[in-house]
Amino acid sequence: MPNCIHRRRFLAGATAATTLAALPATAQTASQLNPLFDALVQAQLRRAPESATNLGLDTGANADLRARLSDQSLAGVAANRAATRAEIATLDAVNVRALSPEARIDLAAVRYARASSARVQQFDFGGTSYGPSPYVVSQLSGAYQSVPDFLDTKHRLETAGDADAYLLRLRAFARQVDDQTVRMRRDAGAGVVPPDFILDLALVQMAKTRVPAADALVVQSLARRAAAKGLGDRYAADAARLYDAEVLPALDRQIACARELRAKATHDAGVWKLPQGADFYPACLQATTTTSLSPQEVHRFGLTQAKAISARLDGELRKLGYTRGTVGARMAALARDPKQLFPNTDAGKVEAIAYCNARLAAIRGRLPDYFERVPPYGFEVRRVPANLEAGSAGAYAQPPALDGSRPGLVYFNLKDSADWPRFDLATTTYHEGLPGHQMEQGWQLSNTRLPLLRKITSFSGFGEGWALYAEQLADEIGMYDDDPLGRLGYLKAQLFRANRCVVDTGLHHYRWSREKAVAYFVDAQGDTPGDAGREIDRYCVNPGQAASYKLGHSTFAAIREEAKAKGGARFDLKAFHSAVLRHGRVPLDVLKQIGDDWIASV
């Protein structure tokens, strides 16, 4: 298979792209879509008040959402499923031929997102994390691990009204935990139980959440911030009483349920073991990669990509004098070099985060040479909270608030500093920060043309594909010219994403064990067993999402190469970046159509 996915593979069965190509050139404006999109986004925010707060939209007519959390009950899940079906019917009733080309893209993206959700929602179990998950609660999913951090870092607290809203959300937190416990038991009755090692991780993290009120983050946060705003100590006392009376009992009930499930859990890692698992995985793969590729095709693609990247990495290692052993063994030896390791202490971890922030600042200064605009938001790197490190992903990004009141954030999991040698940090900073997720998300959020619904609609294939392309761009613009070991980290990261396609399909389609998947990462790219294990645990609860990175990257790279081949010396990198970013996140098949149209026009 060639280095990029063949375009026919993407377009096969891709109704969104077919619709775009078949429409006439004459069209009206997008104004007829605006009222529909406004209604859809308002309904979406009211179903998910947390997203309203994340975006800074819990004001005005939505001010009441500041005191609410989403409904996680069985009835709430059913209501969401019904809403998705109704919204698809409404979108299908739009006269597509009357839309402008840009409005057609908007409609195609929104329709695709709803259709993907509906396909996954047909399976009446599970929840969400980085994407569809077969498990309501795991080390990465569940209110017990998401709400405390949300209340601490996202819920604004300036006034007594904000503090009152916090208390109402604290009570809603207890309800969410109980509602999810009910769903855990219902799913278990249908044969959907997380693997034993996933429940072990979740139980460790639950124990760190279930602490006395005086030590609880949800109590400490309100107490600290209310005092700082001169609101006295009443709110601290009220939060402690609520926590003891409602939150702790709910957590205890969930912990008891998780322990019961752990007693009957198996060690099988993939979703193939679940009822309907053989159908669930392709649905997850389609939802996250936004392609129609089969598990077998994704597996072969990953193997082909990994072989090519390993050869390049081998060449770079040899240039630097690392010639003995496999690529994975040489990278592992390099990762053990004390000069590449920050001390595994709080001070050492502060130093590592400072290094990442310096890399972020350095590349931001170069971006105006390669982009027609740079998003107007602040960005910074932080450490994953210690209570979430055991089950958290290695690194991840959170977008800024829409109004810029909160910066875009990049988190690194520094549970063990040995998992993050210096040469790995820079490329991940570029991926999660600039010019990766924060650049792409910043473009989308600050795009004055995009309707709000489009600004908050996400596709993993596009977002992760762009972030992986951003790693390549960082190399191309010289960020490693004085850091050859950093270039090794970049190539290792590319290899890692190719191997993800192999491992994810291995776990969920080819029935690999967790141990086989961990060993694959350790052998192929020199990961530590701990870092590899956390990654594999993530894939076990987020089927398909890990494959979206390299598939998306290949799409961006293919469009650029086609444009360069046609334009030659006239190729404009800034124009390419604008062409692929100006429509916001779209499914990969729609992105390919956008790329073809742009190439034809230049």
Side-chain angles (χ1 to χ4, degrees):
M1 180 178 263
N3 286 344
C4 63
I5 295 292
H6 196 285
R7 65 174 297 188
R8 286 177 296 182
R9 299 269 179 131
F10 273 117
L11 296 179
T15 57
T18 303
T19 299
L20 289 174
L23 293 173
T26 58
Q28 300 174 9
T29 68
S31 60
Q32 63 180 287
L33 273 184
N34 291 341
L36 170 58
F37 281 1
D38 288 346
L40 290 177
V41 76
Q42 181 64 15
Q44 184 171 319
L45 292 175
R46 300 204 74 81
R47 290 195 300 270
E50 297 91 335
S51 65
T53 295
N54 286 336
L55 293 162
L57 297 176
D58 54 355
T59 59
N62 286 328
D64 63 306
L65 297 181
R66 197 177 304 175
R68 294 174 47 196
L69 298 177
S70 56
D71 184 354
Q72 294 291 312
S73 68
L74 287 168
V77 172
N80 286 341
R81 188 181 298 116
T84 300
R85 292 195 299 266
E87 289 174 355
I88 290 172
T90 301
L91 292 165
D92 285 346
V94 172
N95 179 8
V96 183
R97 292 181 176 274
L99 298 177
S100 67
E102 289 185 333
R104 297 171 198 168
I105 293 173
D106 291 335
L107 180 63
V110 172
R111 174 63 172 76
Y112 194 105
R114 294 302 191 272
S116 292
S117 294
R119 187 179 179 197
V120 173
Q121 288 169 354
Q122 292 176 6
F123 303 90
D124 191 20
F125 55 81
T128 59
S129 180
Y130 291 97
S133 176
Y135 311 119
V136 180
V137 172
S138 69
Q139 84 283 17
L140 292 177
S141 58
Y144 84 91
Q145 58 89 37
S146 64
V147 172
D149 180 66
F150 167 78
L151 288 176
D152 181 45
T153 63
K154 306 303 186 300
H155 183 100
R156 288 172 293 169
L157 208 155
E158 300 291 336
T159 68
D162 295 336
D164 290 332
Y166 187 109
L167 290 173
L168 289 171
R169 274 182 158 166
L170 188 57
R171 175 164 282 159
F173 173 36
R175 288 197 299 272
Q176 277 195 339
V177 171
D178 273 335
D179 286 340
Q180 290 182 342
T181 301
V182 169
R183 289 165 57 194
M184 288 171 68
R185 292 189 182 281
R186 196 283 302 264
D187 287 0
V192 179
V193 177
D196 52 11
F197 55 89
I198 294 298
L199 286 167
D200 287 340
L201 285 171
L203 283 164
V204 168
Q205 294 192 166
M206 288 176 183
K208 292 182 178 180
T209 301
R210 193 245 176 264
V211 294
D215 300 322
L217 177 62
V218 291
V219 176
Q220 290 179 338
S221 178
L222 180 58
R224 181 185 71 253
R225 293 191 287 158
K229 296 299 178 180
L231 301 177
D233 58 6
R234 175 176 71 86
Y235 288 106
D238 287 347
R241 281 192 293 271
L242 258 178
Y243 183 82
D244 285 336
E246 299 185 33
V247 176
L248 270 184
L251 289 171
D252 285 341
R253 287 187 285 269
Q254 188 160 99
I255 290 170
C257 177
R259 285 174 176 161
E260 291 174 22
L261 297 186
R262 175 61 180 84
K264 66 178 78 169
T266 70
H267 196 65
D268 295 322
V271 297
W272 57 266
K273 69 176 183 177
L274 305 178
Q276 300 178 283
D279 295 323
F280 183 68
Y281 181 55
C284 293
L285 201 60
Q286 180 273 329
T288 55
T289 69
T290 63
T291 75
S292 56
L293 296 174
S294 70
Q296 298 94 324
E297 289 174 314
V298 173
H299 194 81
R300 289 194 296 270
F301 166 76
L303 290 171
T304 300
Q305 289 281 305
K307 182 178 179 180
I309 298 167
S310 291
R312 185 180 171 193
L313 185 52
D314 174 60
E316 293 294 326
L317 283 163
R318 290 180 181 279
K319 287 180 187 177
L320 297 174
Y322 300 98
T323 60
R324 299 181 63 181
T326 66
V327 165
R330 280 176 278 169
M331 291 304 297
L334 185 60
R336 293 191 296 269
D337 184 342
K339 295 191 293 292
Q340 289 296 312
L341 299 177
F342 289 93
N344 197 29
T345 63
D346 285 340
K349 293 169 185 181
V350 168
E351 185 183 356
I353 294 299
Y355 172 81
C356 294
N357 275 308
R359 291 290 82 203
L360 191 64
I363 199 168
R364 182 165 191 162
R366 298 193 186 189
L367 295 182
D369 292 336
Y370 305 97
F371 292 87
E372 292 176 349
R373 68 182 182 91
V374 178
Y377 302 109
F379 306 103
E380 63 182 81
V381 182
R382 296 181 182 177
R383 178 183 171 185
V384 168
N387 65 304
L388 298 179
E389 287 176 338
S392 174
Y396 56 90
Q398 292 181 350
L402 191 61
D403 62 0
S405 59
R406 187 186 65 255
L409 300 175
V410 174
Y411 285 95
F412 277 85
N413 186 341
L414 298 179
K415 183 176 186 293
D416 185 348
S417 295
D419 291 337
W420 283 107
R422 185 184 295 266
F423 64 78
D424 276 344
L425 288 171
T427 196
T428 307
T429 299
Y430 305 144
H431 177 105
E432 303 291 351
L434 299 171
H437 284 312
Q438 300 296 354
M439 169 66 81
E440 175 263 319
Q441 290 173 337
W443 261 67
Q444 181 159 300
L445 292 175
S446 60
N447 187 332
T448 57
R449 187 204 69 79
L450 282 183
L452 178 59
L453 181 60
R454 289 280 288 108
K455 291 184 179 185
I456 64 176
T457 298
S458 180
F459 297 99
S460 184
F462 185 100
E464 300 299 353
W466 170 266
L468 198 53
Y469 166 76
E471 295 183 37
Q472 173 186 331
L473 181 65
D475 181 40
E476 293 169 340
I477 67 177
M479 295 306 294
Y480 300 115
D481 287 354
D482 60 352
D483 181 20
L485 293 183
R487 181 171 287 111
L488 295 181
Y490 151 63
L491 291 172
K492 176 188 171 185
Q494 294 278 321
L495 177 61
F496 169 43
R497 274 41 174 261
N499 285 332
R500 275 180 162 179
C501 293
V502 178
V503 167
D504 195 81
T505 51
L507 287 165
H508 298 296
H509 181 76
Y510 291 107
R511 303 191 176 195
W512 286 16
S513 67
R514 179 184 186 273
E515 289 71 25
K516 180 175 179 177
V518 169
Y520 191 92
F521 270 171
V522 171
D523 294 341
Q525 58 205 34
D527 284 358
T528 65
D531 193 33
R534 276 190 292 279
E535 284 294 322
I536 299 310
D537 295 339
R538 169 181 165 182
Y539 311 157
C540 290
V541 302
N542 288 122
Q545 195 268 344
S548 64
Y549 297 68
K550 201 67 183 71
L551 292 169
H553 169 257
S554 290
T555 305
F556 282 104
I559 295 171
R560 197 179 82 166
E561 289 309 305
E562 289 177 29
K564 288 176 69 176
K566 179 185 178 185
R570 294 183 296 106
F571 174 75
D572 184 341
L573 187 59
K574 280 188 177 182
F576 164 72
H577 291 153
S578 294
V580 295
L581 289 177
R582 74 185 186 91
H583 296 288
R585 289 186 173 182
V586 295
L588 291 181
D589 48 15
V590 177
L591 175 62
K592 181 57 181 168
Q593 184 70 45
I594 290 170
D596 286 349
D597 291 345
W598 175 70
I599 292 168
S601 70
V602 295

